[in-house]
Amino acid sequence: MTGAPVTRSFAFLVNPASGGGAAPGAVVPVARLLRDAGARVDVTYSPGPRAMTALVEAAVARGDVVVSVGGDGMLSSLAGAVATAGGTLGVLPAGRGNDFARMLGLPDDTEGQARRLLEAEVRHVDLIAWMPPGGPLRHVAGSVYAGVDARAGEIVDRAHRLPRSLQYPYAALRALATYRPARFRVSVDGASHEYAAACVVVAGSAYYGKGMRIAPDAVLDDGLLDVVVIEAASRPALLCSFPKVYSGAHVQLDEVTVLRGRRVELAADAGSGPGVPAGGDGEPLGTLPPLGGPAAVAEVLPGALAVLG
């Protein structure tokens, strides 16, 4: 592989469980190409969240690009640490969804991935700060979602026996077939709305759920969050409209509302059932607070993350 003189060094942080165990195999050929091009490459397998923060800080102090090797959950767990340390993040997609990599337009071939890491310019993209009442701050790269889609995320985590290409569609259809609508309060930049809804998505990126264009007009670096509310409908109607999510055409449906702003507050009641689950970039975020108390907050952090894109 030829190109511009190499000036970058890399610290690969690998989630060995990503992609059903595919991540370790993905890193080897890319690391070899980078080393052949003259780059210094360190590879570390994830020792757990607390140790990862220390590894990120050490890598940034050395001047390394921190490369996330795994899925959206791995990337999201590193993004806040990299941003806080003032470093740059690279992405080697090796998970089941890889939606943030899709939004960045990253190649899926080994040589293209190595070349992008060596030659891509640094761009600054937004992050989402997720702040549940009384809970710790979490950074999310792509989107926070609550309701039926978070339930689908729980099902995906139990669907390992299915082929990877079928896991997300199966989970989405299974969740839709058993969903119960909830009452959501959604406040965007101080303007409050209430909905009986199947789900609410707060997105900085267009994609989630392995290629679903849930927020088709979302932009990574516009300093805004796209809030997509899918109001309650019959199960057959939701199942019939589900394929539209892949093209983004669902936002034209009467039961879909799209809002846009910088600060979003969410609370919800699910009636007599359990609390309304929430998730972010494929990872569980607990349940939304009830309508009667303080809301959870999603706030955009404009340009917070430097990423090779």
Side-chain angles (χ1 to χ4, degrees), residues 62-143:
R62 292 193 303 268
D64 293 348
V65 173
V66 176
V67 182
S68 170
V69 185
D72 293 306
M74 177 68 169
L75 183 152
S76 199
S77 70
L78 292 175
V82 171
T84 300
T88 298
L89 184 71
V91 181
L92 180 57
R96 286 180 292 183
N98 302 322
D99 287 300
F100 199 77
R102 183 175 287 105
M103 189 68 180
L104 289 172
L106 299 185
D108 55 10
D109 66 289
T110 298
E111 184 166 344
Q113 291 166 344
R115 187 176 300 280
R116 184 68 70 94
L117 289 170
L118 286 171
E119 300 177 2
E121 294 184 2
V122 176
R123 60 181 295 196
H124 290 266
V125 301
D126 305 335
L127 288 177
I128 301 172
W130 174 249
M131 297 166 282
L137 166 69
R138 293 276 296 269
H139 291 97
V140 176
S143 61

